[in-house]
Amino acid sequence: MPSVLISTEAGVMTVTLNRPDKLNAFVAEMHGLLRDAMTRAETDASIRAVLLTGAGRGFCAGQDLGERDMSNPNLDLGGGLDANYNPFIRRMRALPKPVVCAVNGIAAGAGANLALACDIVLAARSAYFLQAFAKIALVPDCGGTYWLPRLAGTARAMGMAMLAERVGAEDAERWGLIWKCVDDAKLMDEARAMAHSLAAGPTHTYGTIKKAIYASAANTLDQQLDLERDLQREVGRHTDYREGVAAFLEKRKPSFTGK
C-alpha cells in the first residue's frame, strides 16, 4: 500500500497521508508521492480543489525519526528541508486552486506546519497541534516560525514553540490558527462538502484571492491597494465574473467554469 493515496471525484483531488500505524509520520517515499500529487494538481485542469487529510487516528506526526542516521556526524537537516518539505509548501501556497486540510488527529512537528500551510483548515474536536521540535532540541520548520506569529500572535507562537504543549482544536480555532473545529464524526463530511463546493466555484478567482492574501504580509497598505486594483482588473475580464453577475441578477445559482 502506498504511503500517500490519491483519488479524484467531481473536480476534487483527495490526498491522504497513509502510514496509519506510524501516525502518518514522514518517510522519503511520501515526499516523492506528494510531489507527484502536486504536479497533477498544477497541470490537470479538471482538478479544481485539493483536500489533504490523514488515514487512521492521526493527521501527521511529523518526521519519522527512525529514518534518520543519527550516527552521521554530518547529518544535514537543512538539506532535507531544501529537498523535500520546503519546495512542497511553496508549491502548495502558490497553487492557483484552494487547498482544504482536514486534520483528523494529531498534527505534530512538520505535520502541524504542513496543515497550517493549507488555505482552509478544519480539525476534528479531538485533534490537536503540537510544535514538538524543542523536545528534541530543534527549531520549528516547514514554515512554523512564519505561520505561528502571523496566525496566533508572537506570545502564543513563543509558547507553542518553546513549551511544546498541545493546542487542542477548539483553542486552535479560538486563536485563529484554523478556520473551524468540527465534531469528529462530521469532519470528513464537512471537509468533502467544502472541497466540492470550492471545486464548483470560480477557480481562477480563488487562485487570485490566494495571491492577494498571501502577498499582504510583505506589503504596505499602498502596495496592497495597488495589487487589489490590478488583480480586480484582471479577474473582471474573466467569464466567471460575467456568469456570477448574470446569475445574481437572474436569481439563480451560478455555473462557474473556473476560467
Side-chain angles (χ1 to χ4, degrees):
M1 184 71 74
S3 56
V4 176
L5 303 176
I6 308 295
S7 64
T8 58
E9 181 186 8
V12 175
M13 182 174 75
T14 300
V15 180
T16 305
L17 306 179
N18 188 44
R19 297 185 72 222
D21 57 322
K22 299 294 185 180
L23 295 173
N24 303 317
F26 272 104
V27 291
E29 179 196 48
M30 295 173 74
H31 293 293
L33 294 172
L34 285 172
R35 282 193 293 272
D36 292 345
M38 184 55 61
T39 298
R40 186 173 175 185
E42 290 166 341
T43 58
D44 188 342
S46 71
I47 294 171
R48 294 171 60 182
V50 176
L51 173 59
L52 176 64
T53 192
R57 60 190 179 88
F59 172 70
C60 178
Q63 173 65 38
D64 188 332
L65 298 178
E67 197 184 43
R68 287 181 172 162
D69 180 7
M70 298 305 295
S71 66
N72 179 4
N74 298 313
L75 182 64
D76 181 7
L77 300 186
L81 292 173
D82 266 345
N84 295 312
Y85 291 103
N86 293 352
F88 181 77
I89 287 174
R90 288 187 176 107
R91 290 174 72 186
M92 188 167 65
R93 295 283 278 197
L95 182 71
K97 303 171 183 181
V99 180
V100 176
C101 184
V103 179
N104 54 303
I106 177 176
N113 295 331
L114 174 65
L116 298 179
C118 296
D119 302 318
I120 302 178
V121 185
L122 305 176
R125 201 166 300 278
S126 65
Y128 62 90
F129 297 81
L130 176 64
Q131 297 294 321
F133 302 92
K135 290 188 173 182
I136 54 172
L138 289 181
V139 174
D141 56 26
C142 298
T145 60
Y146 184 89
W147 323 129
L148 295 177
R150 284 168 171 77
L151 295 173
T154 300
R156 285 174 171 149
M158 286 293 187
M160 291 179 70
M162 291 188 178
L163 302 177
E165 295 180 354
R166 297 182 181 190
V167 175
E170 292 183 4
D171 281 337
E173 178 187 330
R174 185 166 55 84
W175 292 3
L177 282 171
I178 66 171
W179 170 244
K180 189 184 291 187
C181 169
V182 180
D183 289 342
D184 288 35
K186 297 179 180 178
L187 174 68
M188 292 312 301
D189 286 343
E190 185 157 340
R192 289 189 189 98
M194 177 182 289
H196 282 285
S197 175
L198 290 167
T203 310
H204 179 81
T205 298
Y206 293 147
T208 308
I209 288 169
K210 287 179 65 166
K211 183 186 296 186
I213 289 179
Y214 292 148
S216 68
N219 280 350
T220 63
L221 174 60
D222 284 342
Q223 289 170 328
Q224 195 67 14
L225 289 171
D226 288 346
L227 177 62
E228 289 175 352
R229 174 203 63 208
D230 295 343
L231 295 178
Q232 199 76 298
R233 177 179 291 142
E234 193 265 335
V235 295
R237 292 170 177 158
H238 280 255
T239 57
D240 273 347
Y241 169 64
R242 288 169 175 75
E243 167 61 12
V245 172
F248 175 81
L249 294 175
E250 295 165 14
K251 296 181 172 55
R252 61 173 174 83
K253 184 177 180 180
S255 179
F256 292 120
T257 64
K259 299 177 182 179

